[in-house]
């Protein structure tokens, strides 16, 4: 059975005290209101990770937004997967569209990050997605397949089965455009079919695939009702405790 996950990505927001306050609200609301076995995750800036892990008591899982591809070394300003794990994190986002766009992270680099995250017992939330130009020119299937092939399909079946994938239609993030539930389902089904072709039906059926394109309390239920969508990677809505927990609660019914 694949897991139902709602993962919040705070991005570069929240100073230390703001983050503690927001997380405390989220944790208490999730504890009081969540029903079922869905998993809530908050991926916070590095300054928050250890404190949030200590507060969480397992109610909300903690993730980092990135890690370096090397175990250690002279990489000023970076943080290793080992360091992330030592804070109490269980998850780490790899390959977010903003890392690909603003920091020129390649599929080859992301493959290295994924391997080192797994070696340190972190669950990668591995992101793939197409830009507006790629959507409009019809190349998006090839783009997504290439990101899978070069980013994670080099893993063994055992290691791949530890991943969570997240589909980000980059053109629907902060642009005012939205992917319809049917468009999102089409891509999720495509991704699952590619996993099936590479690793077999059992692993494909068990792989959690999240939707990461401006998911909010108003559209979450329709999105999560799609057969191949197993939850969301939530940006802006994760900065508001009520919105984030309402998305988590979508799975209650």
């Amino acid at each position: 059975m694949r897991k139902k996950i709602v993962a919040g990505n705070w991005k570069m927001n929240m100073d230390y005290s703001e983050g503690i306050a927001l997380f405390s609200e989220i944790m208490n609301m999730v504890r009081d209101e969540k029903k079922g076995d869905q998993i809530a995750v908050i991926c916070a800036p590095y300054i928050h990770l250890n404190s949030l892990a200590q507060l969480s008591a397992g109610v909300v899982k903690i993730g980092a937004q990135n890690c370096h591809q090397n175990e250690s070394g002279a990489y000023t300003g970076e943080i290793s997967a080992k360091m992330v794990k030592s804070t109490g994190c269980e998850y780490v986002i790899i390959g977010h569209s903003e890392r690909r766009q603003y920091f020129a992270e390649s599929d080859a680099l992301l493959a290295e990050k994924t391997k080192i995250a797994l070696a340190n017992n972190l669950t990668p939330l591995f992101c793939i997605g197409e830009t507006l130009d790629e959507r409009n020119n019809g190349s998006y299937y090839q783009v997504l397949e290439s990101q899978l092939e070069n980013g994670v399909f080099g893993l063994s079946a055992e290691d791949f089965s530890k991943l969570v994938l997240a589909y980000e239609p980059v053109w629907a993030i902060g642009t005012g455009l939205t992917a319809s539930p049917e468009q999102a389902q089409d891509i999720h089904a495509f991704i699952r079919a590619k996993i099936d072709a590479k690793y077999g039906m059992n692993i494909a059926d068990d792989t959690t695939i999240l939707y990461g394109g401006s998911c909010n309390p108003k559209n979450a239920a329709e999105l999560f009702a799609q057969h191949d969508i197993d939850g969301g990677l939530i940006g802006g809505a994760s900065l508001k405790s009520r919105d984030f927990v309402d998305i988590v609660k979508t799975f209650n019914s």
Side-chain angles (χ1 to χ4, degrees):
M1 292 293 292
R2 53 191 191 250
K3 296 174 181 177
K4 304 295 185 182
I5 297 174
V6 177
N9 176 17
W10 286 358
K11 305 189 179 183
M12 196 176 71
N13 294 292
M14 298 287 142
D15 68 19
Y16 183 77
S17 60
E18 291 169 342
I20 296 298
L22 175 59
F23 183 79
S24 297
E25 291 177 6
I26 289 172
M27 187 186 70
N28 289 331
M29 292 164 72
V30 168
R31 181 171 50 204
D32 292 343
E33 301 176 31
K34 181 180 82 71
K35 301 174 184 177
D37 57 359
Q38 68 267 37
I39 298 169
V41 182
I42 290 294
C43 297
Y46 297 136
I47 63 167
H48 297 109
L49 297 180
N50 184 242
S51 295
L52 300 193
Q54 291 184 53
L55 285 171
S56 69
V59 175
V60 177
K61 306 296 185 181
I62 309 302
Q65 298 173 17
N66 184 37
C67 69
H68 198 268
Q69 66 272 21
N70 289 310
E71 190 71 33
S72 62
Y75 304 104
T76 301
E78 293 294 325
I79 185 168
S80 70
K82 182 179 180 180
M83 293 173 182
V84 169
K85 183 65 178 180
S86 74
T87 67
C89 280
E90 297 181 47
Y91 293 84
V92 59
I93 300 173
I94 303 290
H96 191 279
S97 59
E98 291 157 1
R99 299 296 308 181
R100 293 175 183 267
Q101 179 180 357
Y102 302 137
F103 300 94
E105 293 192 348
S106 66
D107 291 332
L109 175 65
L110 298 175
E112 293 181 41
K113 290 189 175 192
T114 300
K115 290 175 184 177
I116 203 158
L118 289 168
N120 283 276
N121 296 312
L122 291 165
T123 297
L125 302 174
F126 189 89
C127 302
I128 62 173
E130 80 278 12
T131 65
L132 183 59
D133 285 345
E134 290 162 345
R135 165 62 61 164
N136 287 338
N137 67 25
S139 66
Y140 52 96
Y141 288 127
Q142 293 94 324
V143 169
L144 296 170
E145 184 171 7
S146 177
Q147 290 172 346
L148 288 169
E149 286 283 353
N150 297 315
V152 291
F153 276 3
L155 295 171
S156 67
E158 180 181 2
D159 279 345
F160 182 87
S161 67
K162 300 173 184 176
L163 294 179
V164 172
L165 294 179
Y167 166 60
E168 297 183 287
V170 183
W171 50 274
I173 300 174
T175 62
L177 300 173
T178 57
S180 69
E182 294 76 19
Q183 286 175 313
Q185 165 58 23
D186 173 67
I187 296 299
H188 281 240
F190 171 80
I191 293 168
R192 206 173 297 284
K194 290 300 174 183
I195 299 169
D196 184 358
K198 174 67 177 180
Y199 293 107
M201 182 176 63
N202 289 341
I203 289 179
D205 285 345
D206 285 345
T207 299
T208 294
I209 309 176
L210 309 181
Y211 175 74
S214 298
C215 183
N216 59 63
K218 293 181 179 179
N219 62 18
E222 195 172 6
L223 285 165
F224 295 175
Q226 304 302 310
H227 181 265
D228 290 294
I229 298 179
D230 305 311
L233 179 60
I234 315 299
S238 70
L239 299 173
K240 298 177 181 178
S241 56
R242 181 72 273 162
D243 285 356
F244 180 73
V245 176
D246 281 349
I247 297 171
V248 174
K249 287 170 60 183
T250 300
F251 288 116
N252 280 357
S253 57

